[in-house]
Amino acid sequence: MKERDAAEITVPKTDLASFTAFIDYLCTDQLDLGEGEGEQARRALVLRELAQMYQVPRLELLCAQALQESVGPASAVPLLEAAHTTGDGRLLAQCRRFVADHAAEVRASGGVEQLRDLGVAKGLLGDALDQVAELK
């Protein structure tokens, strides 16, 4: 491991707080996702990626569980986009169902304005059209 002799180590796709939480988890077996709903979901995403990168399957599962529990009106769209990007089919399906079932709450929370991925937007539009067709 070259890192042992390095004065500075760069870990891609993370931030200091998330990497510190990763190291704390390795040392204590305690998962700290921080404060606030949005922060917890963001940190769970980063920690899950670190867990995959460093092959820590239990942490990966704990993060996946935390993400599934954190789906709400304000977090559904960002989590949907993250699930689409990472290929997490289970979280993707859960978020799509949540958006379909709680469309007014997601819209009121500003979730629609958070959409950045055109593919996800097309998917949500398709879901909405399917619901309209079912209602007829």
Side-chain angles (χ1 to χ4, degrees), residues 1-134:
M1 293 183 62
K2 294 179 184 179
E3 290 88 357
R4 129 190 118 166
D5 298 325
E8 187 174 299
I9 300 170
T10 302
V11 181
K13 301 180 183 178
T14 191
D15 56 81
L16 181 59
S18 296
F19 192 73
T20 300
F22 177 71
I23 297 299
D24 287 346
Y25 172 79
L26 293 176
C27 294
T28 66
D29 196 38
Q30 299 294 316
L31 180 59
D32 177 16
L33 294 176
E35 301 291 326
E37 181 181 325
E39 172 63 20
Q40 289 179 344
R42 188 199 65 72
R43 181 154 314 148
L45 283 168
V46 173
L47 283 173
R48 185 178 66 176
E49 194 167 334
L50 287 170
Q52 289 170 343
M53 187 181 340
Y54 291 105
Q55 301 176 1
V56 185
R58 184 169 182 277
L59 177 58
E60 188 176 345
L61 290 173
L62 289 171
C63 290
Q65 179 182 13
L67 287 168
Q68 290 172 1
E69 292 171 359
S70 70
V71 176
S75 64
V77 171
L79 287 176
L80 177 64
E81 288 185 316
H84 176 71
T85 301
T86 61
D88 185 340
R90 185 179 212 169
L91 183 59
L92 182 72
Q94 181 183 358
C95 291
R96 285 177 65 190
R97 184 80 255 151
F98 186 90
V99 170
D101 292 345
H102 303 91
E105 295 158 358
V106 171
R107 187 171 181 175
S109 75
V112 176
E113 289 77 22
Q114 295 177 41
L115 268 171
R116 290 174 278 151
D117 187 314
L118 185 58
V120 171
K122 286 179 180 180
L124 288 175
L125 178 59
D127 291 347
L129 292 174
D130 289 345
Q131 280 190 318
V132 169
E134 286 178 19

